[in-house]
Amino acid sequence: LAFDMERPLAFWSSEPGSLLASWPSVAAGVRPKRAAAARWDLNDAAGEAVELRVFEHGTAQAHMNAWAHNRLPGRLEGALFFATPDIDVTQERRHHILVRGASLAHAELEPNALTLESFKRRWIKLWSPPLKAARKDSSKVASDPVAADLHDVPAVLSEVEDSWLDRTSLNYQSGQTFARCIVDLVDREPSAGVDVLIFGV
């Protein structure tokens, strides 16, 4: 899921290309603004149910308090609304996005309600512009897929570089986690099994 808290807006962002969507700029010389200011990935392996609501005016805290006793039947019964990270819940705003949800991992057990702390662990802020190096119109090379790919190489490399410089990006965090796993393996006693298996698509 991708979020723009100013508008407010939440949209499905399973395709990476959706994170490059931008709002059109009406001012001359001003770069288009990224539509997605942050991303949050559902746990598709275990399964999750999430409800998003947009409230008007007032403070996020007031809306959370008002809905504290509004429980839904089923798996969302124990879940309470909370505001998205980095939002001052005491500040009055025109709109507020509130979230509540639960894990569907164990059907026979009581579902685990989604909390703000667990939500924060997967909250990724997006800093870089939608396209640092705008891709040129490749319609002229559309009939030649190799030429089209070569045409897009500078912009793609620029986006990759941005993601590795952004400490909140998924690439950076995955790289850091992988590096820590490698260090842990080096510190362990040698084993007869497979320590590291690397593959790519």
Side-chain angles (χ1 to χ4, degrees):
L1 297 171
F3 293 82
D4 181 348
M5 283 70 68
E6 292 183 9
R7 301 218 174 242
L9 172 74
F11 59 93
W12 193 252
S13 60
S14 58
E15 290 296 328
S18 63
L19 298 176
L20 301 178
S22 60
W23 297 109
S25 177
V26 295
V30 177
R31 292 183 64 87
K33 183 180 179 182
R34 182 195 289 274
R39 175 179 175 173
W40 185 79
D41 290 343
L42 285 161
N43 186 347
D44 55 351
E48 285 177 315
V50 175
E51 179 184 4
L52 304 177
R53 276 185 180 268
V54 177
F55 295 90
E56 291 186 314
H57 308 297
T59 66
Q61 186 64 61
H63 292 297
M64 288 188 290
N65 292 342
W67 280 73
H69 300 291
N70 182 285
R71 306 296 179 90
L72 293 176
R75 291 193 169 273
L76 286 175
E77 182 180 5
L80 297 176
F81 276 113
F82 54 85
T84 52
D86 306 319
I87 292 296
D88 184 354
V89 296
T90 63
Q91 180 183 355
E92 293 196 2
R93 300 167 62 94
R94 186 176 178 182
H95 295 97
H96 305 274
I97 298 179
L98 298 187
V99 184
R100 66 176 170 182
S103 169
L104 306 178
H106 304 290
E108 71 280 2
L109 302 177
E110 189 71 18
N112 294 322
L114 187 65
T115 65
L116 175 58
E117 289 305 313
S118 61
F119 190 86
K120 279 182 178 180
R121 286 195 288 270
R122 282 180 274 160
W123 181 257
I124 307 296
K125 296 183 71 175
L126 306 173
W127 297 100
S128 60
L131 286 175
K132 181 179 177 183
R135 302 184 189 183
K136 298 179 181 178
D137 180 16
S138 58
S139 57
K140 296 181 181 179
V141 293
S143 59
D144 187 342
V146 175
D149 285 345
L150 292 175
H151 212 260
D152 289 340
V153 164
V156 172
L157 292 178
S158 179
E159 293 165 23
V160 172
E161 181 182 4
D162 273 350
S163 72
W164 283 109
L165 294 175
D166 181 1
R167 290 175 176 268
T168 63
S169 74
L170 295 175
N171 271 346
Y172 183 91
Q173 294 189 14
S174 298
Q176 290 293 310
T177 301
F178 182 73
R180 285 194 293 270
C181 290
I182 293 294
V183 172
D184 290 342
L185 287 172
V186 171
D187 291 339
R188 293 179 188 173
E189 292 293 329
S191 64
V194 176
D195 287 328
V196 181
L197 178 63
I198 303 176
F199 63 93
V201 179

